[in-house]
Each structure stands twice: as C-alpha cells, then as structure tokens.
Amino acid sequence: MSEPVLDAVGVGKFLGHGAGRVHALKGVDLSLMGGELVLLMGPSGSGKTTLLSILGCLMTPNDGTVRVRGEPVGNLDPEALAGIRRNHIGFVFQSYHLFPTLSAEDNVRLALDVRGERSQRKAAREVLGLVGLAHKTKAFPNELSGGEQQRVAIARAIVGKPSVILADEPTGALDAENGKAIMTLLADIAKDSSRGVLVVTHDPRIVPFASRIVHIEDGRIVRQETGGEARRVSQS
Amino acid sequence: MSALKFKLAYRNLFHDRLRFVATIVGIVFSIVLVTVQAGLYVGFRRMVTTMIDHSPADLWIMPAGTKCFEDPSLLDDRQRFRALAIEGVVDAAPLVIGYAQWRLPSGTTTPVFIVGSELQGFGVRPWNLVAGRVEDLSIPDAVAIDQSYSERLGVSATGANAEIRDQRVQVAAMTRGIRSFTTTPYVFAGVDRARAYTGMAPNKASYFLVRVSPDADAGKVRRQLRESLSDVEVLTAAEFRSRSRNFWLFGTGAGAALFAGALLGLIVGTVIVAQTLYSSTKDHLSEFATLRAIGSSSRYIYMVIVWQALLSAIVGFIGAAGISAIVVRMTAESALAVVVTPGMTFALFLLTGAMCVASAIAAIVQVMRIDPTTVLAR
Ligand SMILES: Nc1ncnc2c1ncn2[C@@H]1O[C@H](COP(=O)(O)OP(=O)(O)OP(=O)(O)O)[C@@H](O)[C@H]1O
Ligand SMILES: [Mg+2]
C-alpha cells in the first residue's frame, strides 16, 4: 500500500428537486489506496452508485472534497472532469455499455482514442489477451456472452493504465462462475500498487477477493473491515 | 482525425440502413433541385449574352436606354462616321437586329429574329456551322439558321427557300446549338439583307461595334466617343453583358424565381438531414453517454456527429451529381440548357457539406445535454 489514489472527505450530495429531493450522501469520508480492492456494500438506495459517480468525477458533490491522485477536482468544469476521467479513471458498468457496432478490439481502443493516443491496436490486443479474450478480438458484442462482454469492458477500463478502477455491480448480470472470473480479474488488477479498485456490490460471494469492505447505509459509512475480518465473520 | 472516430460515425450511420437510405434520398433530391435551379440560372445567363459573347467588339455604341441585346434600337450612319473620326477607333461596324416574319412556301408564318452584320469586316457572324460556310452568306438572299429550328422554319437542308417581308431567302448555312431563350429563331444574314428584312433604312443600324486600336487607351476612346456622339451610350462588352443579364434575370423576375427554387431545395435538404441525424443521435444516445463517461471531450463527440453528417453529404452528393449529369445531358440541346461548370460542381459539393454540417447542430445540441451518470443506471 502506498499513496491514496482516490480520497473523499465530508462528501455530501442532494439528488432530485422539490418534493423528490433526497439527501443521498451525508458526509462520506473514504480513501482508496494503490494496490487495494475495496468493496462498497450496502442496502439498495443507500447511496452506493451516487458515491461511485462522485468518486469517478461523473458528478460533483454539494459538500466536501474529492482528490484524484492528490489533486482536488472540486473546481473543475465538465470538460476538465472528462479529462480526469479519461486519464485516471476506468469504469466497469453492470450493463457493460459496449458499442454494439464496434468489435471487441475497437471497443477497447476507444478508451485510448478519446485520449488521442496512437498504436492502440497493439495495446488493445494485449489487454484482451490479459482478460482471456485473445481469440475474440474481432467479435462484436452480440457475439459474446455476458461474461465475455464484461471482460471486454474491463479491458477497456484498464487499457489506459488508470490509477482508479470503479465498478458498479460488475457481476450483477452474471452467473456465479462468470462472476467469480470477473472478480478474480479485478483482484489481479488491484495487485499493482499504483492502482486501486473500488467495487460496488450486493454479492457476498465477492467478499473473499476484498482487501477492505466499506459498509454504507442511508448515505453514511457505518462500518469498515479488512478482508481478513470479513472472511472470519462469514465463516463463523 | 482518428480513424476510430470515423469508424464509429459510419457504423452509426449504416447501422440503420433504412434511415440512411431516407437521408440520402433527401440529400439527393435537395441537391438535384439546387443544381437544376442554379444550372438553369447559369444556362440562362449564358444564353442571354450569347450574341454579345460572340461579338469581337471592344465597345458597343447603342441608343441611350437600350436594355438588352434584343431591344430594338436605331442609330444613324452619321454617328458611325463621327466615331470613325476619333483617334484610336479602328472600325465601327454596323449591326442590324430586329424581329421579322418568316413565311414558308406553304404560306404559314413564324416570327424570327434577324442578326445582320458585315460579312467581310467586323461583326456577329454565325458560329458552330454544321452545313455551309460563313462566306456562303454573301450569295444573294442567303441566310443561316440553327438546325434545331429547321422543323419550325420548314427547312430540311441548305438550299431551302422561304420569304421574309416578301423577299426571297435561301438557307445557305446551318449552325448547331445557337438557341434563343425567347425561343424565337435567330436568322443570320449580311447587314444589307438584314436591313431589308427588318424594314430598316440603308443608312441606319441597331448597333455600331467598335474596335479600338491596340495601342490606344480604350478608356480615353470611350470618353471621346461619348463626347462627340449625342443620345447614345458607349458600353464595353462586359458592361453590355451585365446590363442584358440584369434585364432578363432581374427585370423579369426569372432570376428571383430560380433563386427561390434553389433556396427551397436547400431548406428542404437541411431539414431532412437535420431530422435524420437528430433521430440517429437519439438512438445512439446511450453510446454517446458512455463515451462521455469514459472521458471523451465534447469535441470528440461532436466530431463523430459531424463525420456522420459529412459522410451523408459525400454519398448524397455523389448521387446528386449522377442525376444532375443526366439532367444536363438531357437539356443540353433544349431551349434552356441546365449548365453545370466544374466550379459550380465544387461549390455545390461545399454547399452539400455545409448543409449537412449545419444539420448536425440539432443533434449536437441534444448530445450536449447528456448526463454521463446515466451509464450507471441499469
Ligand atoms: N436522480 C435522482 N433523483 C432523486 N433521487 C435519486 C436520484 N438518483 C438516486 N436517487 C436516490 O438517492 C438515493 C441513493 O441512490 P443510489 O442510486 O446511490 O443507491 P444505491 O445504493 O446505488 O442503490 P442500488 O443498490 O439499488 O443500486 C436513493 O434513495 C435514490 O432513490
Ligand atoms: Mg446502485
């Protein structure tokens, strides 16, 4: 463990307007270190996705500060936030969000293309090999299984070597076996000490992969435990 | 420009074939409409000045207030001599024009437009000859007509006879493609015969065509002509051309009608492309949101949309160019040809591109509003 790659202090967020206004986050402190795989767990509606959006610079908080690799992002405009996302953050979504008209390889290249990087093909193939899809680089999303599509999405998230990988229920649409394969991949990615992985999940089967588990309820962090503690709890 | 952006654009575009075809049909019709209107305009512009274009005159002397080449006018020989007396004037040749009735041996008549000039000297003589020679017009009663009017004038070949003003005419030469936009056939003749056919006195003419000596200052010659001749105007060929054009194109409203047609085509095209691009963008909104979520700049996304627009423009333009080429060929020999020059083709291409890019604005405005957090909703 080294530097925090991501750091949130006192983050508060209101969502919606008028009568539908919800205090979704009520002062959240959270940091993600390089080399860590953190699980964010909590009941439905507790604010997990909202927190992930703020940590991933998709949304700005009403209170508190977020720092990416030590740099505060509070005062950045939408274009600058997009810049932070493309350079430092990789996303994995529950519903994959691959481009149906592009091959697996092109989907992965896209993450480099938005940065204006060259020699994308080689990097894309390498990363697809890493996630076990070396033989499917030319396949289109509709020719891939859910697990394979999610692996392409992971390849897209990591191809640019971002410091932060954020995943919102990455195994939510997968069966047990594919879910396990995806989590193994994410755990492997987190072994690199320059990179932290934060995974939002409901799924207790994922616990064994975690280095730390953060529990959120009603917009507040209520409990944190290390992976070891969690495993003992689940065994007893 | 990255190749992937381009790939994304064309995949988006071809993804929905039916919509793509509809877009292209819209662009093609719109651009063909614009091309035809603009081509008619150019064809018309050319046609109204064809006689001026085929005259070697440096300066035209005409009665004050002459509106166009076909405007019947009368000058006196005395003015010609006065003009010839000015230093720098090499020649001042009479040109006679006027309407007349062409009477066939069968007795039926049809109006014609006489153009008479000196056959040896300086003047507007028939060109594009397909039968006979210019010299043949010096045979007594000889005239030249355009082959496209041969049926109307009852002439099957050179040697045919008819009458104008109770005087015999014989067709000695035939031209190709000298058509009048008024649809009244031109009849070329020597200047004396033309006077006889139009009932003009031998000492009169419609215009004097002035040739200025190469060493003389044309501007100075012109000033002197203006000073020494009364009740006339002295115009350069370019000035006379633009006066004729203004009269026919704008004095008659024909130009405005053509322009309005072209504008309408553009508006229809823009609306169609804007509509399809907008709906295509709407269909791919979640992909654009994903692009935004993974950190693409707005510019990157706009470029994808603009590429979609430009690709539609290129395909649409190729289709429109093909159809326009057919229209041009079909009208080439007609009374009013649709004329498309290479410069016009290029301008139309730019116009198509501009139209499609302008159409992209609606789609871009829509994309500007996307919220990247929507990718986290399942
Ligand atoms: N756009 C919105 N407008 C108003 N309220 C919202 C909006 N989005 C989310 N909320 C509310 O904010 C709270 C937190 O939502 P969030 O999506 O972060 O929950 P979550 O922990 O991710 O839930 P789940 O496990 O079901 O995905 C919830 O009460 C939700 O209803
Ligand atoms: Mg959620």
Side-chain angles (χ1 to χ4, degrees):
Chain A
M1 302 242 169
S2 44
E3 296 282 284
V5 286
L6 198 61
D7 184 22
V9 179
V11 165
K13 182 70 182 179
F14 291 93
L15 289 173
H17 306 278
R21 196 164 150 97
V22 173
H23 200 176
L25 295 177
K26 303 165 180 169
V28 171
D29 299 332
L30 180 71
S31 59
L32 178 67
M33 300 292 170
E36 243 192 336
L37 174 70
V38 173
L39 294 190
L40 183 61
M41 301 186 82
S44 184
S46 55
K48 302 182 296 293
T49 298
T50 309
L51 182 57
L52 191 93
S53 307
I54 288 172
L55 294 176
C57 300
L58 287 166
M59 210 186 247
T60 48
N62 298 106
D63 295 305
T65 51
V66 173
R67 277 188 286 261
V68 176
R69 304 198 333 160
E71 295 292 325
V73 298
N75 295 321
L76 299 181
D77 64 21
E79 284 308 302
L81 287 174
I84 300 276
R85 292 197 295 272
R86 71 174 162 266
N87 290 315
H88 304 302
I89 298 169
F91 286 98
V92 180
F93 313 106
Q94 176 175 348
S95 39
Y96 325 132
H97 285 294
L98 297 179
F99 287 68
T101 58
L102 297 181
S103 67
E105 182 184 303
D106 286 341
N107 264 286
V108 175
R109 283 173 62 205
L110 218 42
L112 298 176
D113 202 61
V114 297
R115 292 184 178 187
E117 278 182 26
R118 300 278 153 241
S119 70
Q120 306 159 352
R121 236 172 254 285
K122 190 166 163 280
R125 285 199 197 126
E126 257 170 43
V127 177
L128 280 170
L130 224 60
V131 299
L133 288 178
H135 58 299
K136 297 262 168 132
T137 57
K138 296 289 170 215
F140 285 86
N142 64 3
E143 298 161 348
L144 297 170
S145 73
E148 287 170 332
Q149 289 187 55
Q150 194 61 302
R151 280 192 268 164
V152 175
I154 289 172
R156 177 176 68 189
I158 63 173
V159 69
K161 306 197 186 334
S163 315
V164 180
I165 310 281
L166 300 177
D168 196 1
E169 315 229 8
T171 61
L174 301 175
D175 59 27
E177 198 178 326
N178 273 305
K180 198 172 163 204
I182 293 296
M183 284 316 297
T184 310
L185 255 173
L186 288 172
D188 281 345
I189 290 162
K191 281 179 185 150
D192 183 338
S193 68
S194 65
R195 210 182 288 157
V197 180
L198 179 76
V199 179
V200 166
T201 186
H202 274 124
D203 188 351
R205 290 172 303 187
I206 290 175
V207 169
F209 297 94
S211 35
R212 187 155 56 102
I213 297 158
V214 176
H215 293 273
I216 183 170
E217 270 171 41
D218 192 23
R220 284 194 184 88
I221 302 232
V222 291
R223 193 156 46 90
Q224 294 203 32
E225 57 202 332
T226 62
E229 288 164 4
R231 278 188 285 277
R232 276 194 298 280
V233 170
S234 63
Q235 275 158 11
S236 65
Chain B
M1 199 278 293
S2 81
L4 197 53
K5 220 179 288 172
F6 182 76
K7 197 181 221 175
L8 197 55
Y10 86 70
R11 293 273 167 87
N12 272 358
L13 211 55
F14 293 118
H15 186 62
D16 188 338
R17 301 258 160 83
L18 200 64
R19 179 165 49 209
F20 179 66
V21 169
T23 313
I24 295 308
V25 169
I27 298 173
V28 167
F29 273 101
S30 145
I31 296 302
V32 166
L33 187 56
V34 174
T35 307
V36 167
Q37 301 288 323
L40 282 174
Y41 178 86
V42 172
F44 196 64
R45 255 175 79 102
R46 280 197 184 168
M47 217 163 194
V48 298
T49 63
T50 179
M51 289 297 162
I52 305 171
D53 295 338
H54 285 89
S55 150
D58 298 316
L59 295 170
W60 289 69
I61 299 177
M62 64 192 74
T66 303
K67 291 192 277 295
C68 61
F69 179 80
E70 289 78 8
D71 201 3
S73 51
L74 214 53
L75 294 172
D76 197 278
D77 249 358
R78 270 173 306 189
Q79 282 163 317
R80 175 168 173 245
F81 296 125
R82 243 180 257 161
L84 283 168
I86 288 167
E87 198 183 321
V89 173
V90 178
D91 202 350
L95 182 72
V96 169
I97 59 156
Y99 287 94
Q101 291 292 329
W102 176 280
R103 183 186 292 275
L104 300 179
S106 65
T108 54
T109 62
T110 183
V112 292
F113 192 83
I114 309 288
V115 177
S117 18
E118 284 183 344
L119 297 171
Q120 259 75 47
F122 191 55
V124 181
R125 284 187 293 268
W127 64 96
N128 278 358
L129 289 161
V130 290
R133 294 166 305 155
V134 174
E135 296 79 65
D136 296 339
L137 292 181
S138 49
I139 303 166
D141 306 327
V143 298
I145 62 161
D146 194 80
Q147 64 178 11
S148 58
Y149 298 117
S150 53
E151 202 170 322
R152 177 129 49 111
L153 299 177
V155 174
S156 50
T158 50
N161 290 305
E163 270 180 20
I164 300 178
R165 267 190 174 245
D166 300 327
Q167 297 165 73
R168 200 180 83 98
V169 298
Q170 185 175 39
V171 175
M174 295 241 242
T175 62
R176 192 179 57 79
I178 306 184
R179 305 199 48 148
S180 151
F181 63 96
T182 61
T183 73
T184 309
Y186 288 122
V187 172
F188 291 94
V191 69
D192 296 326
R193 297 310 303 154
R195 286 191 182 107
Y197 297 148
T198 56
M200 195 182 275
N203 62 338
K204 304 279 184 195
S206 308
Y207 298 100
F208 293 124
L209 307 182
V210 174
R211 177 152 59 186
V212 179
S213 150
D215 340 303
D217 172 358
K220 194 170 152 208
V221 170
R222 184 176 168 194
R223 266 194 306 282
Q224 286 177 329
L225 281 168
R226 277 185 179 154
E227 280 160 19
S228 74
L229 308 183
S230 54
D231 300 327
V232 303
E233 286 187 274
V234 184
L235 300 186
T236 63
E239 286 167 343
F240 193 27
R241 251 194 293 275
S242 82
R243 181 179 289 195
S244 283
R245 266 177 206 152
N246 283 340
F247 175 73
W248 286 113
L249 283 168
F250 301 107
T252 63
L258 291 172
F259 185 76
L263 194 67
L264 204 67
L266 267 188
I267 292 171
V268 169
T270 307
V271 169
I272 290 174
V273 182
Q275 205 276 329
T276 50
L277 263 183
Y278 181 83
S279 74
S280 154
T281 308
K282 221 182 176 78
D283 285 0
H284 295 279
L285 219 50
S286 91
E287 287 156 49
F288 287 119
T290 305
L291 266 182
R292 193 66 174 144
I294 68 172
S296 91
S297 62
S298 314
R299 210 181 145 242
Y300 187 97
I301 295 178
Y302 302 160
M303 285 310 294
V304 173
I305 296 174
V306 167
W307 266 122
Q308 280 182 241
L310 285 177
L311 272 171
S312 312
I314 291 167
V315 177
F317 179 78
I318 292 170
I323 294 181
S324 300
I326 295 171
V327 172
V328 166
R329 191 168 307 165
M330 273 171 24
T331 62
E333 302 287 308
S334 76
L336 184 46
V338 172
V339 176
V340 179
T341 62
M344 261 172 85
T345 309
F346 185 66
L348 282 164
F349 178 66
L350 293 185
L351 190 72
T352 314
M355 177 180 94
C356 290
V357 171
S359 308
I361 289 170
I364 285 176
V365 166
Q366 187 187 29
V367 153
M368 262 169 11
R369 296 207 202 98
I370 47 173
D371 175 3
T373 58
T374 56
V375 294
L376 295 168
R378 57 211 83 132

